[in-house]
Amino acid sequence: MTPQDMLDVAVAEARKGLSEGGIPIGAALFGADGVLLGSGHNRRVQNDDPSVHGETDAFRAAGRQRNYRSTIMVTTLSPCWYCSGLVRQFNIGAVVIGEARTFSGGHDWLAENGVSITLLDDERCVQMMTDFIGAYPELWAEDIGE
Amino acid sequence: MTPQDMLDVAVAEARKGLSEGGIPIGAALFGADGVLLGSGHNRRVQNDDPSVHGETDAFRAAGRQRNYRSTIMVTTLSPCWYCSGLVRQFNIGAVVIGEARTFSGGHDWLAENGVSITLLDDERCVQMMTDFIGAYPELWAEDIGE
């Protein structure tokens, strides 16, 4: 499974979130063998829950795992500090990122701490966030604590 | 409301978690005026959900807030990277910590990034985690990704 194949799963989650009226950020956690462990998307609006970012939703959906070293987190957008902290604490080995143009979180910090980072600069992801931020700037500011 | 008063709320949450068979870490988010916005505890065991740490549960319980700068997160244990990332991303202004003897997370990093840190070294918190880690070392290792 290529990083692009994995990103497609995250993009589908982001689009699902958008169709629900939510913030279009999706993520998925894969095992080293390319098996999908769980996927999810931002649910701030849908669940009225500020704690559910794309990555934390995918992590939750993957259930309790004994070791994350060989897992890969794929996300449509550069992980914020909250989600970067999740990756670091649980020693998730690799992160595949759709884009970091509309928002840049903690992925350099993760790289400095030994996490393998793949930044794809995917045009679909850039467009989706650019459109969303343009349409709902206050909601986006709320989601990143600004 | 003193830091110790706020810690009492987090300790009550940790004890509730313990009585449910869970990992005894509790937290609460307070407004600057001392109003309790939300409290919670680790729910890995109870909900079979690895994404619910004490701090993320308290953050969720507080609901959507437009600004966290004047809020205070109190937690029975030094926040792990996941929960430290939450504090940094949402610009929570202060963190009150029960103890950092049994586990030391990202509180120094938060201090370097402008978060006010109060470390109480509370004996109840130390005892609760010492007893728990001694009784369930594997569950504890799972919760911190080790």
Side-chain angles (χ1 to χ4, degrees):
Chain A
M1 205 164 192
T2 68
Q4 196 65 53
D5 291 337
M6 291 190 283
L7 182 63
D8 288 349
V9 176
V11 169
E13 283 284 351
R15 287 178 174 158
K16 189 173 172 193
L18 190 63
S19 75
E20 294 165 356
I23 300 170
I25 305 173
L29 190 69
F30 287 89
D33 45 9
V35 170
L36 178 64
L37 300 174
S39 65
H41 53 270
N42 188 298
R43 296 180 193 271
R44 173 177 294 271
V45 175
Q46 301 93 311
N47 294 14
D48 220 27
D49 184 345
S51 76
V52 189
H53 274 195
E55 297 90 328
T56 66
D57 198 38
F59 181 78
R60 181 199 55 76
R64 290 168 61 180
Q65 305 280 335
R66 194 54 197 86
N67 192 297
Y68 292 90
R69 179 60 73 187
S70 64
T71 65
I72 301 163
M73 178 70 83
V74 54
T75 172
T76 55
L77 184 65
S78 172
C80 78
W81 287 115
Y82 174 38
C83 298
S84 295
L86 176 83
V87 169
R88 179 165 177 187
Q89 186 63 46
F90 290 98
N91 294 305
I92 290 171
V95 179
V96 173
I97 300 166
E99 62 106 353
R101 266 195 267 168
T102 64
F103 173 81
S104 187
H107 65 270
D108 286 338
W109 178 71
L110 289 175
E112 287 162 16
N113 284 283
V115 180
S116 165
I117 300 291
T118 302
L119 181 54
L120 293 173
D121 201 34
D122 182 277
E123 196 51 54
R124 297 168 301 174
C125 295
V126 173
Q127 195 61 54
M128 195 156 44
M129 279 311 289
T130 302
D131 291 349
F132 182 81
I133 294 169
Y136 304 99
E138 291 205 6
L139 187 53
W140 175 235
E142 180 190 323
D143 198 56
I144 51 172
E146 286 181 356
Chain B
M1 206 165 192
T2 69
Q4 196 67 52
D5 291 336
M6 292 190 282
L7 182 63
D8 288 349
V9 176
V11 168
E13 283 284 351
R15 287 177 174 159
K16 190 173 173 192
L18 190 65
S19 76
E20 294 165 354
I23 299 170
I25 305 173
L29 189 70
F30 287 89
D33 43 10
V35 170
L36 177 65
L37 300 174
S39 65
H41 53 271
N42 188 298
R43 296 180 192 270
R44 172 178 293 271
V45 174
Q46 301 92 313
N47 294 14
D48 220 27
D49 185 343
S51 76
V52 190
H53 275 196
E55 296 90 328
T56 66
D57 198 38
F59 181 78
R60 180 199 55 74
R64 291 167 60 180
Q65 303 280 336
R66 192 55 198 86
N67 192 297
Y68 292 90
R69 180 58 74 187
S70 63
T71 64
I72 301 163
M73 177 71 84
V74 54
T75 172
T76 54
L77 184 65
S78 173
C80 78
W81 287 114
Y82 174 38
C83 298
S84 295
L86 175 83
V87 168
R88 179 164 175 186
Q89 186 62 47
F90 290 98
N91 295 306
I92 291 170
V95 180
V96 173
I97 300 167
E99 63 107 353
R101 268 196 264 167
T102 65
F103 173 81
S104 186
H107 65 269
D108 286 339
W109 177 72
L110 289 175
E112 287 162 16
N113 284 283
V115 180
S116 165
I117 301 290
T118 303
L119 181 53
L120 293 174
D121 200 33
D122 182 277
E123 196 52 54
R124 296 168 302 173
C125 296
V126 173
Q127 195 61 53
M128 195 156 46
M129 279 310 289
T130 301
D131 290 349
F132 182 80
I133 294 169
Y136 304 100
E138 291 204 4
L139 186 53
W140 175 235
E142 180 190 321
D143 198 56
I144 52 173
E146 286 181 357

